[in-house]
Amino acid sequence: YPLFQLGGPQLRIFRPNFFMLAVRPGVPQPEDTVQFRVSMEMTKVDIKNYLEKIYNVPVAAVRTRIQYGANNKRNHKNQRVKKPDYKVAYVQLGQGQTFQFPNLFPEKEQDTETQAFDDFKDKYMEREKQRQKGDLRRGGVPDWFGL
Amino acid sequence: MAAPGGRRLLWPGRRWLSQAEPAVSPQPPSSPQPPSSLYPPIVASATAKSTAAKRRRLEHFKQRVHAAPSIEEKLRLYGLLQRPKYVVYPQTFALNADRWYQSFTKTVFVPGLPPRAASAAAKAPAAAGVTPGAGTAPQPEAAAPAPARSAEAAAGAAPYLDVRELRALACDALLQETFYQHKPRPGLYRSQEHTPGPFLTQLVSSLAAYLCGRNPLLAASSLDLKPEVNYYWHHGEEVVVHGHRKGRVDPVRFQIDDNPHLQIRVPKQLPEVVPLESDLGDVPVINHKPSKLPLFKRQYENKVFIGSKAADPCCYGHTQFHLIPDKLKRERLVKANLEDQIEVVYRANGIASLFAWTAAQAMYQGFWSEADVTRPFVSQAVVTDGKYFAFFCYQLNTLALTVETIQNNPRKNICWGTESKPLYDVVEDGSVKGFNDQVLLQLVRFLLNRPKES
């Protein structure tokens, strides 16, 4: 972006590629910190204004870093395939708010019918495996092996 | 049993006989001194790549530090090995830094000042010059401010503290810096060193000179301008993440490098506020890595310094004065919607600076994490941004913060602190409006603090 100087025109950008994706942090973060993957062109000020004006979320502090995507994998033509770079933002919420990334794939509670069916299926598979194993006294040797 | 002659021929180096000589003949239990063994004591190797060897090297290092002949040698050995360490800044923009700093230094924060300071204030102005040293009884006196003020108002004579004179001193210093002296306009981020800095220096030096007669300790003190205070310590453990030392368990190292605006060092130590083993609260526990604060690692000299070298007679601390920098001023925090962080800035500054100062004082007396302090070290600090003053008092009860020494250590360090209060409202037309006497009196109390004269 061109640098703003005193008396110059106000910079206006129409339809910027500004997106924010809330992600689960790889390492445990403090309770008031939310981790986002944001567009590479966004700055800390942009992120703060985005959250405050669009989503009404009080933001106390923002820290960003750019994660370099590795370029080591090779395709079938032995050309290097690059994983894309992305910017990560750590946003600390204001007014004492906290955030915990939700568990998106919780264990479903099974009702008695499906539970009984699952148990029956497990037992059947076990019995089949035992039958295929054969005599334990032969120590895993197949039954066609012999004199 | 070979002949003695044959044995002598075979002696140098070789033992053909499977029967070795008995190393130590069993002594009767009544003998006073057992004979020294012919074999050296069997201990683990010192150079092998094993945990026993590591333990032995650690023991050897601890013995070296214990047996150091002088304080400088002890400090040199203590900070000999350089590794990446977290640099803790007392004046920081990080959110909720005071809780993190409390967990790094095992400090309990108690709001308000200890009652000893309040009772000393009542006695010092009220008592005549005959018994100046009787004012340090640690009894909480709820009516402390009222009799003090009435006594001062009643008697304007020399033995009593004259509030009018003190107020005049403070107002003179303030007006000189803000109104009478014409200075060029300050540049960007230089407004703190333009006006409040010189005002604070002038105020403290004139107050200290005025109160010298009342407090003989101030007469023997040393006032430092922009001194350096450093401290290096270990606390907790972590696994090294990357590098050639990856996977090893290392202590977490911290370093504080502080530059208070002013500092008063005295030859005698301030008395303890509460007994060494007292428990006044809980230390906040934070289970995250310090880098989430955010705190960053750097590797450089591990320095421990109180403001003067070990040979200086003024080796104990009395009061520090800190000036909040331009980037952490009230107006900037209010503009960024961070009103609740204003007090956090003051508290974090007080806790970190005072911990570093008291711990460095303790190290100058020979204590360290393996040789814990036997008496508490007390120091005071005033954190200000020119208009608002916050007062802190710190008692260091323990230096043992490393993983092994913290396990059976019930002692905690204690920090008392107030909220920031304005000294004046506004300066206009050559006069100070809304002067707050209480803040000035608290400052005077801090300066009058001295050990009990036995």
Side-chain angles (χ1 to χ4, degrees):
Chain A
Y1 301 137
L3 192 66
F4 176 77
Q5 278 153 351
L6 210 63
Q10 175 76 51
L11 174 70
R12 293 185 199 284
I13 303 170
F14 300 99
R15 300 175 63 242
N17 181 21
F18 280 3
F19 66 85
M20 288 187 71
L21 176 71
V23 296
R24 178 192 296 280
V27 288
Q29 296 284 340
E31 290 81 28
D32 58 346
T33 307
V34 193
Q35 191 167 333
F36 291 96
R37 283 193 192 185
V38 300
S39 153
M40 290 282 272
E41 286 85 25
M42 282 178 91
T43 60
K44 291 183 186 180
V45 181
D46 288 331
I47 293 168
K48 187 168 161 114
N49 289 338
Y50 187 105
L51 285 175
E52 280 181 341
K53 302 224 159 94
I54 302 180
Y55 291 99
N56 221 6
V57 171
V59 168
V62 182
R63 296 186 293 275
T64 56
R65 68 178 176 92
I66 296 188
Q67 177 61 55
Y68 167 74
N71 200 5
N72 300 328
K73 291 270 186 318
R74 306 241 172 194
N75 61 6
H76 62 282
K77 296 185 189 170
N78 207 28
Q79 296 160 340
R80 273 179 301 172
V81 176
K82 175 159 171 77
K83 294 192 178 140
D85 301 334
Y86 54 91
K87 190 179 257 193
V88 180
Y90 301 91
V91 175
Q92 277 186 303
L93 303 171
Q95 291 160 23
Q97 293 185 3
T98 59
F99 178 78
Q100 188 66 29
F101 196 84
N103 185 7
L104 297 172
F105 307 105
E107 302 249 332
K108 264 194 302 221
E109 281 174 21
Q110 292 172 330
D111 50 340
T112 42
E113 269 189 47
T114 41
Q115 210 162 29
F117 180 67
D118 282 335
D119 289 340
F120 179 71
K121 199 167 62 165
D122 291 331
K123 279 198 205 101
Y124 177 76
M125 294 305 292
E126 252 189 71
R127 253 183 281 130
E128 282 298 314
K129 280 205 198 81
Q130 282 296 321
R131 205 179 303 154
Q132 296 210 352
K133 236 184 217 166
D135 199 359
L136 283 166
R137 291 177 294 182
R138 287 173 65 85
V141 179
D143 49 358
W144 47 259
F145 185 80
L147 292 166
Chain B
M1 261 313 263
R7 188 183 281 264
R8 245 177 270 123
L9 278 174
L10 296 169
W11 181 248
R14 298 245 192 126
R15 269 171 202 241
W16 291 105
L17 302 174
S18 55
Q19 304 169 347
E21 297 170 32
V24 176
S25 53
Q27 282 282 313
S30 57
S31 67
Q33 220 180 17
S36 57
S37 160
L38 288 172
Y39 292 95
I42 299 173
V43 284
S45 151
T47 50
K49 196 176 161 186
S50 63
T51 39
K54 190 151 190 257
R55 245 182 289 131
R56 192 143 167 255
R57 285 193 292 268
L58 212 61
E59 277 306 315
H60 179 65
F61 165 72
K62 285 179 199 165
Q63 265 154 37
R64 268 180 82 192
V65 181
H66 280 298
S70 68
I71 298 288
E72 285 95 354
E73 183 61 20
K74 204 175 251 206
L75 291 176
R76 187 191 78 88
L77 288 173
Y78 177 71
L80 194 59
L81 180 63
Q82 277 189 22
R83 281 276 148 78
K85 56 192 175 179
Y86 285 111
V87 184
V88 175
Y89 291 96
Q91 296 175 329
T92 174
F93 51 79
L95 306 178
N96 297 328
D98 60 336
R99 287 194 68 236
W100 286 82
Y101 288 1
Q102 278 178 62
S103 81
F104 295 154
T105 60
K106 205 178 175 194
T107 312
V108 172
F109 185 79
V110 179
L113 284 176
R116 171 194 71 130
S119 68
K123 299 263 182 88
V130 179
T131 53
T136 49
Q139 295 147 20
E141 286 180 340
R149 250 181 281 140
S150 56
E152 289 154 51
Y160 298 89
L161 263 181
D162 199 354
V163 184
R164 286 186 297 268
E165 273 206 40
L166 294 168
R167 202 185 307 146
L169 264 176
C171 291
D172 275 343
L174 188 57
L175 285 170
Q176 175 69 21
E177 293 302 328
T178 51
F179 185 71
Y180 292 121
Q181 191 172 3
H182 291 290
K183 301 180 200 174
R185 269 178 48 199
L188 189 60
Y189 296 131
R190 277 189 204 262
S191 55
Q192 287 294 96
E193 70 180 53
H194 181 260
T195 316
F199 159 59
L200 192 62
T201 318
Q202 187 56 46
L203 177 71
V204 171
S205 29
S206 47
L207 274 180
Y210 183 79
L211 297 168
C212 260
R214 211 163 291 274
N215 187 357
L217 197 64
L218 278 180
S221 67
S222 157
L223 181 74
D224 303 332
L225 302 167
K226 296 228 173 44
E228 204 184 312
V229 173
N230 312 80
Y231 186 59
Y232 168 76
W233 79 102
H234 294 189
H235 177 67
E237 251 184 353
E238 65 170 1
V239 179
V240 180
V241 173
H242 52 254
H244 67 280
R245 303 185 72 237
K246 182 173 171 176
R248 295 181 213 190
V249 175
D250 249 4
V252 182
R253 293 165 278 262
F254 296 93
Q255 169 86 36
I256 290 185
D257 297 322
D258 187 23
N259 289 306
H261 191 73
L262 284 170
Q263 184 172 286
I264 298 178
R265 277 177 300 113
V266 288
K268 285 198 224 132
Q269 200 185 340
L270 289 175
E272 65 172 32
V273 183
V274 287
L276 195 59
E277 305 278 346
S278 35
D279 185 359
L280 294 182
D282 285 317
V283 180
V285 172
I286 297 182
N287 292 323
H288 296 100
K289 281 170 65 168
S291 58
K292 307 279 177 247
L293 174 56
L295 217 52
F296 298 99
K297 278 195 170 183
R298 231 189 325 151
Q299 178 173 326
Y300 58 104
E301 188 201 352
N302 301 329
K303 201 165 165 188
V304 177
F305 196 63
I306 62 166
S308 61
K309 294 198 179 168
D312 196 299
C314 295
C315 52
Y316 294 103
H318 189 266
T319 321
Q320 266 184 345
F321 293 86
H322 295 268
L323 198 60
I324 301 256
D326 284 286
K327 301 222 172 164
L328 298 174
K329 281 198 303 204
R330 269 197 136 87
E331 296 83 30
R332 272 178 75 96
L333 289 176
V334 166
K335 215 165 60 159
N337 279 335
L338 293 168
E339 284 96 1
D340 43 343
Q341 297 296 318
I342 296 176
E343 290 304 319
V344 167
V345 167
Y346 287 90
R347 282 202 293 264
N349 197 354
I351 292 175
S353 301
L354 282 174
F355 170 75
W357 204 27
T358 47
Q361 289 167 42
M363 286 212 79
Y364 267 43
Q365 302 306 313
F367 302 107
W368 59 298
S369 47
E370 301 295 323
D372 210 356
V373 294
T374 49
R375 57 183 196 277
F377 283 75
V378 174
S379 287
Q380 303 166 128
V382 177
V383 183
T384 173
D385 71 343
K387 188 168 155 191
Y388 289 82
F389 283 71
F391 299 93
F392 295 91
C393 178
Y394 197 93
Q395 174 162 325
L396 185 86
N397 292 328
T398 175
L399 274 181
L401 301 169
T402 59
V403 178
E404 306 138 353
T405 48
I406 209 176
Q407 270 166 8
N408 299 326
N409 188 10
R411 298 193 212 163
K412 299 171 200 166
N413 304 321
I414 309 170
C415 181
W416 289 268
T418 63
E419 291 189 350
S420 50
K421 295 193 186 85
L423 180 66
Y424 58 92
D425 277 335
V426 70
V427 175
E428 54 184 40
D429 292 340
S431 65
V432 178
K433 304 266 187 308
F435 197 87
N436 189 350
D437 281 337
Q438 286 306 312
V439 174
L440 187 62
L441 284 177
Q442 184 58 56
L443 191 59
V444 167
R445 274 169 221 156
F446 260 31
L447 289 173
L448 286 176
N449 211 355
R450 60 175 173 289
K452 286 193 251 276
E453 275 136 46
S454 50

PDB file of all heavy atoms in Angstrom, chain B residues 239-256:
ATOM      1  N   VAL B 239      11.196 -28.483  28.543  1.00  0.00           N
ATOM      2  CA  VAL B 239      11.943 -29.343  27.627  1.00  0.00           C
ATOM      3  C   VAL B 239      12.424 -28.467  26.472  1.00  0.00           C
ATOM      4  O   VAL B 239      11.657 -27.667  25.935  1.00  0.00           O
ATOM      5  CB  VAL B 239      11.018 -30.458  27.097  1.00  0.00           C
ATOM      6  CG1 VAL B 239      11.759 -31.347  26.145  1.00  0.00           C
ATOM      7  CG2 VAL B 239      10.473 -31.266  28.248  1.00  0.00           C
ATOM      8  N   VAL B 240      13.689 -28.591  26.100  1.00  0.00           N
ATOM      9  CA  VAL B 240      14.229 -27.789  24.998  1.00  0.00           C
ATOM     10  C   VAL B 240      13.551 -28.223  23.698  1.00  0.00           C
ATOM     11  O   VAL B 240      13.464 -29.412  23.403  1.00  0.00           O
ATOM     12  CB  VAL B 240      15.754 -27.972  24.894  1.00  0.00           C
ATOM     13  CG1 VAL B 240      16.286 -27.146  23.750  1.00  0.00           C
ATOM     14  CG2 VAL B 240      16.417 -27.575  26.183  1.00  0.00           C
ATOM     15  N   VAL B 241      13.054 -27.220  22.941  1.00  0.00           N
ATOM     16  CA  VAL B 241      12.174 -27.544  21.813  1.00  0.00           C
ATOM     17  C   VAL B 241      12.957 -27.886  20.562  1.00  0.00           C
ATOM     18  O   VAL B 241      12.721 -28.894  19.913  1.00  0.00           O
ATOM     19  CB  VAL B 241      11.240 -26.350  21.542  1.00  0.00           C
ATOM     20  CG1 VAL B 241      10.440 -26.580  20.295  1.00  0.00           C
ATOM     21  CG2 VAL B 241      10.305 -26.178  22.707  1.00  0.00           C
ATOM     22  N   HIS B 242      13.922 -27.041  20.188  1.00  0.00           N
ATOM     23  CA  HIS B 242      14.668 -27.333  18.965  1.00  0.00           C
ATOM     24  C   HIS B 242      16.116 -26.921  19.174  1.00  0.00           C
ATOM     25  O   HIS B 242      16.441 -26.178  20.067  1.00  0.00           O
ATOM     26  CB  HIS B 242      14.068 -26.601  17.766  1.00  0.00           C
ATOM     27  CG  HIS B 242      13.893 -25.144  17.996  1.00  0.00           C
ATOM     28  ND1 HIS B 242      12.666 -24.573  18.218  1.00  0.00           N
ATOM     29  CD2 HIS B 242      14.766 -24.138  18.066  1.00  0.00           C
ATOM     30  CE1 HIS B 242      12.812 -23.285  18.404  1.00  0.00           C
ATOM     31  NE2 HIS B 242      14.076 -22.987  18.318  1.00  0.00           N
ATOM     32  N   GLY B 243      16.958 -27.435  18.341  1.00  0.00           N
ATOM     33  CA  GLY B 243      18.382 -27.150  18.469  1.00  0.00           C
ATOM     34  C   GLY B 243      19.138 -28.413  18.772  1.00  0.00           C
ATOM     35  O   GLY B 243      18.576 -29.509  18.850  1.00  0.00           O
ATOM     36  N   HIS B 244      20.470 -28.274  18.966  1.00  0.00           N
ATOM     37  CA  HIS B 244      21.261 -29.475  19.203  1.00  0.00           C
ATOM     38  C   HIS B 244      21.013 -30.035  20.593  1.00  0.00           C
ATOM     39  O   HIS B 244      21.404 -31.141  20.892  1.00  0.00           O
ATOM     40  CB  HIS B 244      22.753 -29.164  19.003  1.00  0.00           C
ATOM     41  CG  HIS B 244      23.312 -28.228  20.031  1.00  0.00           C
ATOM     42  ND1 HIS B 244      23.151 -26.866  19.987  1.00  0.00           N
ATOM     43  CD2 HIS B 244      24.035 -28.476  21.147  1.00  0.00           C
ATOM     44  CE1 HIS B 244      23.754 -26.306  21.013  1.00  0.00           C
ATOM     45  NE2 HIS B 244      24.294 -27.259  21.742  1.00  0.00           N
ATOM     46  N   ARG B 245      20.338 -29.257  21.481  1.00  0.00           N
ATOM     47  CA  ARG B 245      20.043 -29.772  22.821  1.00  0.00           C
ATOM     48  C   ARG B 245      18.587 -30.217  22.933  1.00  0.00           C
ATOM     49  O   ARG B 245      18.014 -30.257  24.007  1.00  0.00           O
ATOM     50  CB  ARG B 245      20.316 -28.684  23.847  1.00  0.00           C
ATOM     51  CG  ARG B 245      21.739 -28.163  23.796  1.00  0.00           C
ATOM     52  CD  ARG B 245      22.015 -27.174  24.887  1.00  0.00           C
ATOM     53  NE  ARG B 245      22.093 -27.850  26.164  1.00  0.00           N
ATOM     54  CZ  ARG B 245      21.340 -27.557  27.212  1.00  0.00           C
ATOM     55  NH1 ARG B 245      20.473 -26.584  27.140  1.00  0.00           N
ATOM     56  NH2 ARG B 245      21.472 -28.228  28.345  1.00  0.00           N
ATOM     57  N   LYS B 246      17.999 -30.578  21.796  1.00  0.00           N
ATOM     58  CA  LYS B 246      16.566 -30.873  21.777  1.00  0.00           C
ATOM     59  C   LYS B 246      16.251 -32.065  22.657  1.00  0.00           C
ATOM     60  O   LYS B 246      16.973 -33.054  22.669  1.00  0.00           O
ATOM     61  CB  LYS B 246      16.154 -31.170  20.341  1.00  0.00           C
ATOM     62  CG  LYS B 246      14.684 -31.457  20.165  1.00  0.00           C
ATOM     63  CD  LYS B 246      14.362 -31.562  18.690  1.00  0.00           C
ATOM     64  CE  LYS B 246      12.933 -32.059  18.554  1.00  0.00           C
ATOM     65  NZ  LYS B 246      12.504 -32.109  17.182  1.00  0.00           N
ATOM     66  N   GLY B 247      15.168 -31.973  23.394  1.00  0.00           N
ATOM     67  CA  GLY B 247      14.707 -33.092  24.204  1.00  0.00           C
ATOM     68  C   GLY B 247      15.218 -33.063  25.623  1.00  0.00           C
ATOM     69  O   GLY B 247      14.730 -33.825  26.456  1.00  0.00           O
ATOM     70  N   ARG B 248      16.199 -32.212  25.939  1.00  0.00           N
ATOM     71  CA  ARG B 248      16.721 -32.227  27.307  1.00  0.00           C
ATOM     72  C   ARG B 248      15.866 -31.348  28.195  1.00  0.00           C
ATOM     73  O   ARG B 248      15.285 -30.363  27.751  1.00  0.00           O
ATOM     74  CB  ARG B 248      18.151 -31.688  27.323  1.00  0.00           C
ATOM     75  CG  ARG B 248      19.067 -32.584  26.554  1.00  0.00           C
ATOM     76  CD  ARG B 248      20.467 -32.080  26.578  1.00  0.00           C
ATOM     77  NE  ARG B 248      21.096 -32.423  25.316  1.00  0.00           N
ATOM     78  CZ  ARG B 248      22.375 -32.291  25.077  1.00  0.00           C
ATOM     79  NH1 ARG B 248      23.161 -31.801  25.994  1.00  0.00           N
ATOM     80  NH2 ARG B 248      22.857 -32.630  23.907  1.00  0.00           N
ATOM     81  N   VAL B 249      15.831 -31.696  29.491  1.00  0.00           N
ATOM     82  CA  VAL B 249      15.043 -30.944  30.465  1.00  0.00           C
ATOM     83  C   VAL B 249      15.942 -29.860  31.055  1.00  0.00           C
ATOM     84  O   VAL B 249      16.991 -30.147  31.607  1.00  0.00           O
ATOM     85  CB  VAL B 249      14.538 -31.890  31.565  1.00  0.00           C
ATOM     86  CG1 VAL B 249      13.830 -31.105  32.629  1.00  0.00           C
ATOM     87  CG2 VAL B 249      13.608 -32.907  30.967  1.00  0.00           C
ATOM     88  N   ASP B 250      15.527 -28.617  30.903  1.00  0.00           N
ATOM     89  CA  ASP B 250      16.340 -27.476  31.320  1.00  0.00           C
ATOM     90  C   ASP B 250      15.570 -26.621  32.311  1.00  0.00           C
ATOM     91  O   ASP B 250      14.349 -26.516  32.202  1.00  0.00           O
ATOM     92  CB  ASP B 250      16.618 -26.608  30.095  1.00  0.00           C
ATOM     93  CG  ASP B 250      18.061 -26.664  29.688  1.00  0.00           C
ATOM     94  OD1 ASP B 250      18.820 -27.443  30.315  1.00  0.00           O
ATOM     95  OD2 ASP B 250      18.434 -25.942  28.754  1.00  0.00           O
ATOM     96  N   PRO B 251      16.262 -25.944  33.232  1.00  0.00           N
ATOM     97  CA  PRO B 251      15.523 -24.978  34.056  1.00  0.00           C
ATOM     98  C   PRO B 251      15.140 -23.771  33.216  1.00  0.00           C
ATOM     99  O   PRO B 251      15.832 -23.436  32.251  1.00  0.00           O
ATOM    100  CB  PRO B 251      16.539 -24.591  35.138  1.00  0.00           C
ATOM    101  CG  PRO B 251      17.857 -24.867  34.538  1.00  0.00           C
ATOM    102  CD  PRO B 251      17.675 -26.018  33.593  1.00  0.00           C
ATOM    103  N   VAL B 252      14.040 -23.109  33.585  1.00  0.00           N
ATOM    104  CA  VAL B 252      13.620 -21.906  32.860  1.00  0.00           C
ATOM    105  C   VAL B 252      14.376 -20.733  33.470  1.00  0.00           C
ATOM    106  O   VAL B 252      14.290 -20.488  34.672  1.00  0.00           O
ATOM    107  CB  VAL B 252      12.107 -21.689  33.001  1.00  0.00           C
ATOM    108  CG1 VAL B 252      11.692 -20.475  32.206  1.00  0.00           C
ATOM    109  CG2 VAL B 252      11.357 -22.903  32.529  1.00  0.00           C
ATOM    110  N   ARG B 253      15.145 -20.024  32.628  1.00  0.00           N
ATOM    111  CA  ARG B 253      16.012 -18.951  33.134  1.00  0.00           C
ATOM    112  C   ARG B 253      15.350 -17.602  32.861  1.00  0.00           C
ATOM    113  O   ARG B 253      14.734 -17.402  31.827  1.00  0.00           O
ATOM    114  CB  ARG B 253      17.370 -19.006  32.424  1.00  0.00           C
ATOM    115  CG  ARG B 253      18.145 -20.256  32.779  1.00  0.00           C
ATOM    116  CD  ARG B 253      19.278 -20.469  31.814  1.00  0.00           C
ATOM    117  NE  ARG B 253      18.803 -21.110  30.625  1.00  0.00           N
ATOM    118  CZ  ARG B 253      18.892 -22.403  30.373  1.00  0.00           C
ATOM    119  NH1 ARG B 253      19.456 -23.194  31.249  1.00  0.00           N
ATOM    120  NH2 ARG B 253      18.428 -22.914  29.257  1.00  0.00           N
ATOM    121  N   PHE B 254      15.478 -16.678  33.821  1.00  0.00           N
ATOM    122  CA  PHE B 254      14.918 -15.331  33.673  1.00  0.00           C
ATOM    123  C   PHE B 254      16.005 -14.311  33.978  1.00  0.00           C
ATOM    124  O   PHE B 254      16.912 -14.563  34.767  1.00  0.00           O
ATOM    125  CB  PHE B 254      13.768 -15.098  34.664  1.00  0.00           C
ATOM    126  CG  PHE B 254      12.580 -15.979  34.440  1.00  0.00           C
ATOM    127  CD1 PHE B 254      12.456 -17.185  35.118  1.00  0.00           C
ATOM    128  CD2 PHE B 254      11.579 -15.612  33.567  1.00  0.00           C
ATOM    129  CE1 PHE B 254      11.371 -17.994  34.929  1.00  0.00           C
ATOM    130  CE2 PHE B 254      10.487 -16.427  33.379  1.00  0.00           C
ATOM    131  CZ  PHE B 254      10.383 -17.614  34.051  1.00  0.00           C
ATOM    132  N   GLN B 255      15.864 -13.146  33.375  1.00  0.00           N
ATOM    133  CA  GLN B 255      16.788 -12.046  33.668  1.00  0.00           C
ATOM    134  C   GLN B 255      15.979 -10.771  33.689  1.00  0.00           C
ATOM    135  O   GLN B 255      15.158 -10.530  32.798  1.00  0.00           O
ATOM    136  CB  GLN B 255      17.875 -11.971  32.587  1.00  0.00           C
ATOM    137  CG  GLN B 255      18.726 -10.735  32.636  1.00  0.00           C
ATOM    138  CD  GLN B 255      19.894 -10.864  33.583  1.00  0.00           C
ATOM    139  OE1 GLN B 255      20.484 -11.929  33.701  1.00  0.00           O
ATOM    140  NE2 GLN B 255      20.228  -9.814  34.277  1.00  0.00           N
ATOM    141  N   ILE B 256      16.198  -9.964  34.720  1.00  0.00           N
ATOM    142  CA  ILE B 256      15.568  -8.634  34.770  1.00  0.00           C
ATOM    143  C   ILE B 256      16.687  -7.609  34.626  1.00  0.00           C
ATOM    144  O   ILE B 256      17.674  -7.654  35.373  1.00  0.00           O
ATOM    145  CB  ILE B 256      14.832  -8.412  36.108  1.00  0.00           C
ATOM    146  CG1 ILE B 256      13.599  -9.299  36.186  1.00  0.00           C
ATOM    147  CG2 ILE B 256      14.403  -6.971  36.234  1.00  0.00           C
ATOM    148  CD1 ILE B 256      12.761  -9.042  37.405  1.00  0.00           C
TER     149      ILE B 256
END
